[in-house]
Amino acid sequence: MADKKRFEQPKVDSDTVAELSKKLLEANAKLKEAELERKLMLENISHDLRAPLTAIRSAIDYLKAKDEKEGLTVSSKDLSDMLRLIDNRALTLEVLVQDLFYLTSIESGREELKLQRVPIGQFLEEYFFAAQIDERYSGRNLLLEIPEDDDSFVSIDIGKMSRVLDNLFTNARKYSEDGSDITLGMGRYGDNVRFFVRDTGAGIPKEEVSHIFERTYRVSKSRTPEGETSSGLGLSIVKSIVDQHGGRVWCESNLGEGSCFFVELPVV
Ligand SMILES: Nc1ncnc2c1ncn2[C@@H]1O[C@H](COP(=O)(O)OP(=O)(O)OP(=O)(O)O)[C@@H](O)[C@H]1O
Ligand SMILES: [Mg+2]
């Protein structure tokens, strides 16, 4: 019978053991953090799904009770009030579910980027001209700050990067008043380009700025203007798309003065 092979214990000095256990502990802490974030997101989403559903259920119960008591004689005023309410809350649900689907499909890698080499200045200018004739922004002063001699190219998925701009522009409009400025600008910084969307709106409290890219985080529900739907996922979608492009996104804001969102991308 052949000799059993003997394996020597690898020699590991105590410094390496200490280093490895430190890394393990760090990885464990990161996992716990991610798990906590996931739990919080689920909690927020369940809450956000429940609120409009409860309103829809109440409207239906009200109409059913009326119908049982009085037959099909609900007044047309009652009916149209209830219909408006159901319509509005169903829209909230639709936006939330659509945004959730979009976010999870980017993060799971199901949505691959269709990258194209694009002159960033021209891409931003085209977006700006479309926004100028978009009636949603008719109450705002739209301004453009793009250096004339810029010839930087970036590698982007045009549809996804337009979604980033849509979300930043929608926020700039949503959290500012009529007559405010919204500026789209860019600059070159070494091997990167940086574009920004700046508004002169409500601004964000200092202690909240670092949280706004978290999923479903909203500074305060009461800040969402009447008639606007909001899932709180807009900036998470922005961050996921920018991350997927190997870029970074951040915000600088002063309460009462306005906010500026920067997106930095490598030039190619
Ligand atoms: N330009 C801005 N000015 C002031 N506050 C902002 C601005 N952009 C974002 N915020 C704050 O950050 C929060 C998160 O923004 P985010 O876009 O993720 O969600 P939302 O606008 O509430 O909902 P939606 O998912 O519909 O975009 C907002 O609720 C708002 O409080
Ligand atoms: Mg938003």
Side-chain angles (χ1 to χ4, degrees):
M1 211 167 70
D3 273 353
K4 266 192 190 163
K5 262 195 179 163
R6 289 181 147 220
F7 291 99
E8 273 191 26
Q9 287 278 353
K11 290 196 179 70
V12 189
D13 62 53
S14 57
D15 280 356
T16 316
V17 173
E19 181 66 18
L20 285 174
S21 38
K22 188 169 156 247
K23 282 201 176 130
L24 259 178
L25 282 174
E26 278 168 9
N28 195 24
K30 274 205 183 119
L31 264 178
K32 277 193 177 149
E33 211 176 288
E35 181 57 24
L36 189 68
E37 200 199 316
R38 209 161 284 276
K39 274 192 186 145
L40 272 177
M41 177 181 79
L42 265 179
E43 240 174 65
N44 289 344
I45 288 169
S46 325
H47 174 269
D48 287 353
L49 286 172
R50 212 166 30 203
L53 266 180
T54 308
I56 292 173
R57 167 51 63 203
S58 313
I60 292 172
D61 285 349
Y62 173 81
L63 289 177
K64 263 170 71 184
K66 277 239 165 191
D67 184 34
E68 273 159 24
K69 247 206 289 181
E70 303 163 24
L72 280 171
T73 54
V74 183
S75 77
S76 55
K77 162 99 179 53
D78 264 1
L79 202 54
S80 69
D81 282 353
M82 292 301 138
L83 262 181
R84 241 198 330 269
L85 186 135
I86 292 174
D87 190 21
N88 177 287
R89 300 306 148 95
L91 182 67
T92 310
L93 283 177
E94 279 157 13
V95 168
L96 180 60
V97 171
Q98 259 170 27
D99 281 357
L100 257 181
F101 183 74
Y102 192 76
L103 184 63
T104 50
S105 57
I106 305 171
E107 294 194 341
S108 66
R110 259 179 290 146
E111 286 257 344
E112 284 194 6
L113 293 182
K114 298 180 189 73
L115 291 176
Q116 274 176 270
R117 194 167 173 273
V118 170
I120 182 74
Q122 192 183 322
F123 168 74
L124 294 173
E125 256 173 38
E126 280 169 16
Y127 186 88
F128 180 81
F129 294 136
Q132 270 189 319
I133 51 169
D134 185 331
E135 62 179 29
R136 284 177 305 164
Y137 304 114
S138 57
R140 308 289 183 276
N141 303 315
L142 296 190
L143 306 165
L144 187 64
E145 285 178 14
I146 296 195
E148 264 178 27
D149 55 349
D150 183 80
D151 59 354
S152 310
F153 279 75
V154 289
S155 182
I156 54 170
D157 181 318
I158 290 179
K160 295 225 164 55
M161 208 44 79
S162 303
R163 173 86 191 238
V164 165
L165 285 167
D166 281 344
N167 287 5
L168 296 180
F169 263 70
T170 308
N171 281 347
R173 176 189 56 79
K174 211 153 96 168
Y175 304 107
S176 68
E177 310 217 309
D178 258 4
S180 308
D181 294 345
I182 302 178
T183 308
L184 174 63
M186 70 154 281
R188 172 86 182 241
Y189 296 84
D191 290 338
N192 293 310
V193 285
R194 209 177 273 176
F195 68 80
F196 62 84
V197 177
R198 188 175 60 219
D199 65 64
T200 53
I204 301 164
K206 282 266 167 308
E207 63 281 11
E208 311 247 9
V209 174
S210 58
H211 296 292
I212 56 175
F213 294 96
E214 289 166 16
R215 293 166 202 177
T216 74
Y217 191 88
R218 270 164 285 189
V219 171
S220 151
K221 278 203 176 165
S222 62
R223 283 161 55 107
T224 303
E226 192 70 19
E228 298 271 4
T229 45
S230 143
S231 71
L233 290 172
L235 287 176
S236 303
I237 291 175
V238 165
K239 185 169 178 340
S240 289
I241 295 176
V242 174
D243 283 352
Q244 221 187 358
H245 281 82
R248 60 189 190 107
V249 55
W250 70 98
C251 167
E252 289 169 13
S253 184
N254 285 312
L255 197 58
E257 291 176 21
S259 312
C260 189
F261 286 81
F262 296 92
V263 173
E264 191 168 80
L265 297 171
V267 290
V268 290

